[in-house]
Amino acid sequence: MKISQILNNNTFSLSFEVFPPKTDTSFMSVKTAVEEIAKLKPSFMSVTYGAGGGTSKYTLDIAKDIKETYGVPTLAHLTCVSSSKETVKEKIREIENAGISNIMALRGDIPQSMINDDRSRWEYTHAIELICQLKEFNKDFCIGAACYPEIHPESRNQKEDIFYLKEKVDAGCEFLTTQMFFDNNLLYNFLYKIREAGITVPVIPGIMPITNANQVERALKLSGSFMPQRFKSLVDKFGSNPEAMKQAGIAYATDQIIDLYANGITNIHVYSMNKPDIAEKIQSNLSCILGTQNI
Ligand code: FAD
């Protein structure tokens, strides 16, 4: 099933993200965790491509397993920045052969070793080139792209960021998933601005449950997200107690989701980070809400 159909059907959707293993030896443990999450029957699951510490090697195997064994619609991520057009074409062919039609088209972070390169020699500089290539390859692919309520770290300002975001949508991207954020007002503000700029596709807020104190610094560095005082207090109070921090982090993420839903947002993506217990807890915290479906 196409993700665009799930997002546009006027019911609440809750999706989870997983990442592939970093090493061959951790494949089985990741597979088990992913399967536990798939058994929760989320609206769909996304599998990252070389992000969150995972490699790109197993993205497709995992995505295929989720779809075929558990019948959960799957979104396979694909990045392009350090690749050649030929290599990416081969990857696209593999995705298509695996029967996956939902693709998250990303540029990827620029590797440190390429920062000072002459970019005119690169085969890809931005995600839009991948979106165009995907559409040319198969116009029936359902393509998603990333967006940044607090602007992408490389952008000079939000106006410029939204200008390029619109280009991605105009090139054929059917939905957007946001970078993590911890203050819903930032999302509401962003939505207002992109709608004003003429971007009308569904936007799925990406919610990251921060469940241990060590995660905080890394997550904020990666995303450049603002940390509200309410969240800081929670980390200060519970950061040294792993069980309490986990409970508080899940409660914070649940609270964000409930507020989003109450404000008319019907699709939520949770960065569940291969943690079935956290995915399960968030889903069960929302059980009555998921049950109401009176949008
Ligand atoms: P782009 O859309 O190319 O944007 C990057 C920057 O370039 C922005 O500042 C933008 O404003 C600017 N820009 C865009 N188009 C143009 C243009 N035509 N001309 C000039 N400037 C332009 N990384 C992974 O490695 N694997 C993953 O699986 C993964 N999944 C992600 C999922 C989500 C939901 C998000 C939010 C991020 C994910 N990332 C992943 C991280 C992502 O790869 C990085 O944030 C990366 O730096 C930017 O990717 P992008 O696709 O947003 O790039």
Side-chain angles (χ1 to χ4, degrees):
M1 183 188 262
K2 287 195 177 177
I3 304 295
S4 54
Q5 285 171 271
I6 297 168
L7 302 176
N8 287 317
N9 84 350
N10 255 11
T11 52
F12 184 56
S13 81
L14 183 67
S15 51
F16 293 126
E17 182 157 301
V18 294
F19 57 84
K22 205 172 186 172
T23 58
D24 293 345
T25 46
S26 55
F27 180 76
M28 279 321 289
S29 63
V30 169
K31 189 169 186 287
T32 308
V34 168
E35 290 180 352
E36 288 301 308
I37 296 176
K39 283 179 195 160
L40 298 171
K41 294 280 174 203
S43 304
F44 70 88
M45 283 173 73
S46 69
V47 187
T48 68
Y49 190 84
T55 68
S56 54
K57 193 170 150 192
Y58 293 111
T59 297
L60 204 50
D61 289 343
I62 291 178
K64 214 173 148 195
D65 187 38
I66 294 168
K67 181 172 178 275
E68 288 178 2
T69 315
Y70 296 92
V72 174
T74 312
L75 171 65
H77 290 207
L78 182 62
T79 65
C80 59
V81 70
S82 49
S83 307
S84 69
K85 287 256 153 92
E86 249 338 283
T87 315
V88 171
K89 192 172 178 185
E90 191 45 42
K91 285 279 167 203
I92 300 172
R93 193 171 290 122
E94 285 172 19
I95 293 175
E96 189 181 55
N97 291 342
I100 290 171
S101 56
N102 301 300
I103 303 172
M104 187 75 177
L106 300 144
R107 184 197 66 183
D109 283 325
I110 299 170
Q112 205 52 41
S113 60
M114 289 171 65
I115 293 280
N116 297 318
D117 277 7
D118 170 5
R119 298 188 182 189
S120 65
R121 302 164 82 100
W122 292 359
E123 297 197 28
Y124 299 90
T125 47
H126 295 102
I128 189 166
E129 292 142 10
L130 176 59
I131 295 169
C132 293
Q133 186 180 6
L134 285 162
K135 274 285 161 199
E136 204 175 296
F137 191 96
N138 183 341
K139 64 176 175 20
D140 286 333
F141 279 148
C142 175
I143 301 169
C147 66
Y148 303 84
E150 295 173 73
I151 84 169
H152 185 273
E154 287 167 38
S155 292
R156 280 179 298 199
N157 54 57
Q158 193 167 46
K159 203 171 169 198
E160 180 185 275
D161 213 27
I162 293 176
F163 175 85
Y164 291 123
L165 185 62
K166 181 149 189 320
E167 274 195 348
K168 294 200 282 191
V169 173
D170 291 344
C173 155
E174 292 180 58
F175 64 94
L176 300 165
T177 307
T178 76
Q179 179 60 283
M180 67 182 88
F181 58 92
F182 300 98
D183 178 348
N184 286 359
N185 287 326
L186 293 165
L187 192 268
Y188 300 136
N189 206 317
F190 172 71
L191 284 178
Y192 175 78
K193 288 184 180 159
I194 65 165
R195 298 308 185 212
E196 204 179 30
I199 298 174
T200 56
V201 294
V203 174
I204 321 173
I207 299 297
M208 169 72 94
I210 298 284
T211 52
N212 73 68
N214 301 334
Q215 225 184 324
V216 177
E217 205 178 318
R218 189 170 177 275
L220 296 185
K221 195 171 163 220
L222 252 168
S223 63
S225 305
F226 164 70
M227 197 192 205
Q229 187 53 47
R230 200 164 76 84
F231 190 77
K232 271 189 204 150
S233 309
L234 181 152
V235 178
D236 287 347
K237 179 80 180 167
F238 305 115
S240 57
N241 178 338
E243 282 310 307
M245 183 63 220
K246 187 169 162 185
Q247 201 167 46
I250 291 171
Y252 192 93
T254 306
D255 192 43
Q256 268 193 287
I257 296 171
I258 293 172
D259 178 71
L260 290 166
Y261 185 50
N263 281 285
I265 306 230
T266 56
N267 303 300
I268 305 285
H269 192 58
V270 175
Y271 294 117
S272 50
M273 307 290 287
N274 299 359
K275 294 194 178 113
D277 54 334
I278 291 169
E280 196 275 325
K281 191 73 192 144
I282 288 183
Q283 195 185 52
S284 71
N285 282 351
L286 299 168
S287 58
C288 294
I289 289 168
L290 282 161
T292 56
Q293 302 285 348
N294 56 345
I295 295 167

